[in-house]
Structure formats: C-alpha cells, structure tokens
Amino acid sequence: MSARAGIVVTGTEVLTGRIQDLNGPWLADRLLELGVELAHITMCGDRRGDIEAQLRFLADEGVDLIITTGGLGPTADDMTVDTVARFSGRELVLDNRLEEKIADIVSRLMARFPDVDAEAIRVANRKQALIPEGADVIDPVGTAPGVVVPGSPTVVVLPGPPRELQPMWPLALQTAAVQKAIAGRTVYRQEMVRMFGLPESGLADTLRDAEREVDGFDRLEITTCLRRGELEVVTRFEPDAAETYADLMAVLRDRHGDAVFSEDGSRIDDQVARLLTGRRIATAESCTGGLLAARLTDLAGSSAYVAGAVVAYANDAKSGLLGVDPALIEKHGAVSEPVAEAMADGALNRFGADTAVAITGIAGPGGGTKEKPVGTVCFSLKLADGTAVTRSMRMPGDRADIRERSTTVAMHLLRRALS
C-alpha cells in the first residue's frame, strides 16, 4: 500500500459555495504526481468541532499525511492552527522570529494607510505567530505562515488563498516530517492523451476492447474526463509497465488516430499559439461574445500574433464593424454559413490580418427555431492565401456549454488549418 493522504478544506465561504475550492484539486494533483494515494478530500466550515472531526476521521482512516487549507488569518474565525495543535496534543507557543517577520510584512502593507493604528494591527497579527510546539514553520507568502506538525499522521497547515498556498507547498514537502510521512509512496509515471471529435462512448468501447487485447492492462490506472468538449485520458502506471502503456497507445492510435491531437498533455491553446508564430490573427464573434479572443490572449506573448477582435452581437454591428451586407443577413439569417464567412472576411480586412476566425450561433436558452435549434453554431476560418474552412455544428449543453465548446471547435479548426 502506498503512502496515503487526506485533505481538509476549511472555510464557511467555501462550504457554502460563495468561493470555489481551488486548493483541493490542486493539492490532489500534486499528491498524484508524488505517488501518494489520496484517500479523501473533506470540507467544513469555520468551527473548531467540525475541523477536529475531519482530522479525527482522516486519522481513523489510517492516512499518513493530512493537509489543511484555510483558517490561518488574524480574525476570530481563523482557528485551524489552534485546532490542529489540540488534535496533535501540542501547546501553542509564540515564535518570536515569526512574529517579527509578520510585523514587518504588516507594517509595509499598512504604510499606505497612515491613519490605521499600526500597533493594533500588530497585536491582531501576533495570533499568527502562535505555532504548535515542535512544528516546522513555513514562512508566509502573504501574512499567514504555514506549519508542519510531525506525528502520526503528520499535519501540514496551509493558508487558503491559492496564490499563497501554491508556493508554500514545495517548502512543506522538503521538511523531514513530510518526507517521513510519504516515505512509503509508490513512484508512478503519469501520461496524458487529449482527444477531440470522439464521443465518450466510443472511447469507452475501445478501452473495453483494450482490456482484453493488451497484456497487463490491469496495471494501468486510467481516468477519462470530458473537459471543454475534449477528452482527457490520464494513465498512471509503475515504470516497469511502460511497455503495456505503449501497447495501449498503439490501440488508441489505430482506432482513433484522427481524434488524438496531443500525446504529451499539451493543450490545444498552446499548440495553436505555436502555430500562430509569425502570423497575425483576428476574430469576429457573435454568440461567444469574445470568449475565443480571451482564450487566444490568455497566454503570455499573445500580443505577437493577436491583431484584434470584434464582438458583433447585433446585426447592425456585423454590418457596421465587419462590412457584412445586410441583404446577406436578411436572406440567410445571422446564424448561417454565408454570414460567418462574411464576418471572417471582415475581420481579415479590418485588422490587416492573415488569419481570421468567425463564430455566429444560437447559445440559448431562447432564440432557436425548428430549422436552427438552440446550439446551432456556424464557424468560418479564412487565411490570406485563400484557404477557407466553413462548418456548422449542433452543440450540446446549456448556454455556457455551447459558448465554451464553440471556442474549442474554433481552436481545433485553427490547428488543422495551420498544421
């Protein structure tokens, strides 16, 4: 049995859904990379009894490591450290070095607010320098330090904001207590394949066949996930099962070679960014409202290839901003392949680009007809050399799904046209 861990996500705001938990999934991925089995992720509000109940539950489950997130601030509802100390049977002691460090951080932050009582702030933050006796301190990225409490199980206490937690995790990992807790981990390899244009049922059929055809298939731990209209296939295995994984990949390539677009886990966004090197792209969007432009510009350095974007939602905007002939809209409708093509031409011309993508569709929940139901989306890709690709598709899901999946289709049209 590999080393096992549990995660306790604290915070009433997370429990009630006002804030989405980003820490649990992120830490789960880090544990998976280490070869540590994740037994449970639990969530509770800012109540001592509930936090302690989660710790005791995980300890009773026999985990070697518990990671908590949240509840490390200076206010009354920040009680994770105190609760962990009680759970571990340790007294809280003041760490003078840490108190000075926090005071220095706070004083620099408060310098922008001269009317604030700095001493009162310092007293309030003194609480954050109370550490379980014998624990390792992880210096704060914000004002809240982390702590590693040795024991069985070892408990790692980290702050709630992801921008603080993530850089502190590697430091926690380096402590002797955590290394001892995860000493029994199994070293795994993990590979990811991304596919597009294949239904989940088709992949499921192939994996059932592979279970019979691939020798040692049971040594592969395979997880599939549909995300943004793409299938992600994550396979984890011990290094000596590499040949078995290679046999599985041979089956996937043979059955679904056209659908596999990434064997190294790289995203379509990164692939398109590389293919756009030396080019200038413009987008014209209606139903997606700029989401495609947002994906293209999400990567650093995108200013080198993104020329601009037009969100032309209304028909007069399509005509006024992109030069779409109103008669074309009148004849075919705003959601049509001729209008999508005209929008792409307009984007090419307006920005002097050599690559353009246009999207127009019906995202719903209203606006659909028998001929053009909700989910109908038309795409047009144009290159300055005359290459043109136009498609119409029926997207499943609700409004958000239709809009997001439409951007994924557009990215794949780009990849295929530019490859």
Side-chain angles (χ1 to χ4, degrees):
M1 176 73 72
S2 178
R4 301 173 75 236
I7 299 170
V8 181
V9 179
T10 73
T12 302
E13 69 284 358
V14 181
L15 181 65
T16 57
R18 293 199 303 273
I19 294 179
Q20 181 184 3
D21 171 38
L22 300 177
N23 293 325
W26 188 87
L27 287 167
D29 280 345
R30 303 292 78 74
L31 291 169
L32 190 64
E33 291 168 355
L34 289 169
V36 176
E37 298 288 347
L38 177 60
H40 300 277
I41 297 180
T42 70
M43 188 178 294
C44 64
D46 297 306
R47 292 175 293 272
R48 281 187 176 83
D50 292 343
I51 296 172
E52 188 164 357
Q54 308 307 309
L55 296 171
R56 296 205 177 280
F57 163 73
L58 291 173
D60 290 344
E61 288 290 293
V63 302
D64 305 286
L65 178 69
I66 298 175
I67 308 164
T68 73
T69 74
L72 304 189
T75 59
D77 63 345
D78 294 314
M79 56 190 69
T80 304
V81 171
D82 178 53
T83 305
V84 169
R86 185 167 59 181
F87 165 77
S88 303
R90 296 171 183 259
E91 296 291 329
L92 285 175
V93 296
L94 180 66
D95 186 310
N96 293 309
R97 182 198 67 83
L98 183 58
E99 182 185 17
E100 290 300 319
K101 188 174 189 66
I102 294 172
D104 180 61
I105 293 170
V106 171
S107 64
R108 283 187 276 113
L109 291 174
M110 291 301 103
R112 294 175 292 175
F113 308 98
D115 296 332
V116 174
D117 185 343
E119 183 58 28
I121 296 294
R122 173 172 176 148
V123 170
N125 280 279
R126 189 171 189 260
K127 173 190 174 189
Q128 295 179 108
L130 293 171
I131 302 300
E133 189 173 14
D136 294 306
V137 175
I138 307 169
D139 283 346
V141 173
T143 63
V147 295
V148 177
V149 185
S152 183
T154 290
V155 184
V156 177
V157 183
L158 296 172
R163 67 181 181 279
E164 298 180 23
L165 177 147
Q166 292 180 12
M168 293 169 73
W169 168 246
L171 301 177
L173 198 57
Q174 293 171 15
T175 62
V178 172
Q179 286 298 309
K180 181 179 179 181
I182 65 173
R185 72 187 189 274
T186 301
V187 177
Y188 290 100
R189 274 184 57 188
Q190 181 172 298
E191 302 289 348
M192 178 185 284
V193 173
R194 297 183 191 269
M195 310 173 80
F196 179 73
L198 176 70
E200 287 182 279
S201 58
L203 176 61
D205 288 342
T206 296
L207 292 178
R208 278 192 291 269
D209 291 341
E211 190 172 2
R212 295 189 299 268
E213 298 170 7
V214 174
D215 187 40
F217 183 86
D218 58 352
R219 299 193 64 196
L220 305 178
E221 181 182 317
I222 302 172
T223 305
T224 63
C225 176
L226 182 65
R227 195 191 311 274
R228 274 185 163 179
E230 298 172 346
L231 280 172
E232 296 178 354
V233 185
V234 177
T235 306
R236 193 168 68 139
F237 53 93
E238 294 183 43
D240 61 356
E243 186 174 341
T244 302
Y245 179 72
D247 292 341
L248 171 64
M249 282 305 305
V251 172
L252 291 179
R253 292 188 199 103
D254 180 59
R255 298 274 189 98
H256 309 298
D258 290 343
V260 175
F261 70 90
S262 171
E263 294 189 17
D264 60 1
S266 60
R267 302 177 308 152
I268 186 67
D269 304 57
D270 300 304
Q271 294 181 7
V272 167
R274 288 194 292 270
L275 290 168
L276 285 170
T277 300
R279 306 187 72 93
R280 283 176 60 78
I281 185 171
T283 64
E285 300 180 63
S286 183
C287 67
T288 46
L291 293 177
L292 177 60
R295 281 186 73 164
L296 288 169
T297 57
D298 193 47
L299 296 177
S302 56
S303 58
Y305 51 82
V306 177
V310 171
V311 175
Y313 217 71
N315 289 343
D316 57 356
K318 292 179 177 66
S319 299
L321 297 173
L322 295 168
V324 179
D325 187 346
L328 197 67
I329 298 174
E330 180 68 25
K331 180 178 180 181
H332 299 282
V335 179
S336 63
E337 292 187 1
V339 169
E341 291 172 347
M343 290 170 64
D345 286 331
L348 278 177
N349 296 330
R350 185 173 186 87
F351 292 100
D354 54 42
T355 309
V357 180
I359 307 174
T360 179
I362 305 167
T369 65
K370 184 178 180 179
E371 294 77 19
K372 297 177 183 178
V374 170
T376 301
V377 183
C378 302
F379 305 85
S380 182
L381 180 146
K382 297 262 182 117
L383 303 183
D385 65 6
T387 300
V389 180
T390 301
R391 296 280 187 275
S392 293
M393 299 184 68
R394 174 83 182 278
M395 299 290 174
D398 61 16
R399 182 179 179 84
D401 291 331
I402 291 167
R403 282 155 52 92
E404 185 172 57
R405 288 180 185 224
S406 293
T407 67
T408 298
V409 170
M411 295 294 273
H412 281 275
L413 288 175
L414 272 167
R415 174 183 171 273
R416 289 171 182 171
L418 299 176
S419 293

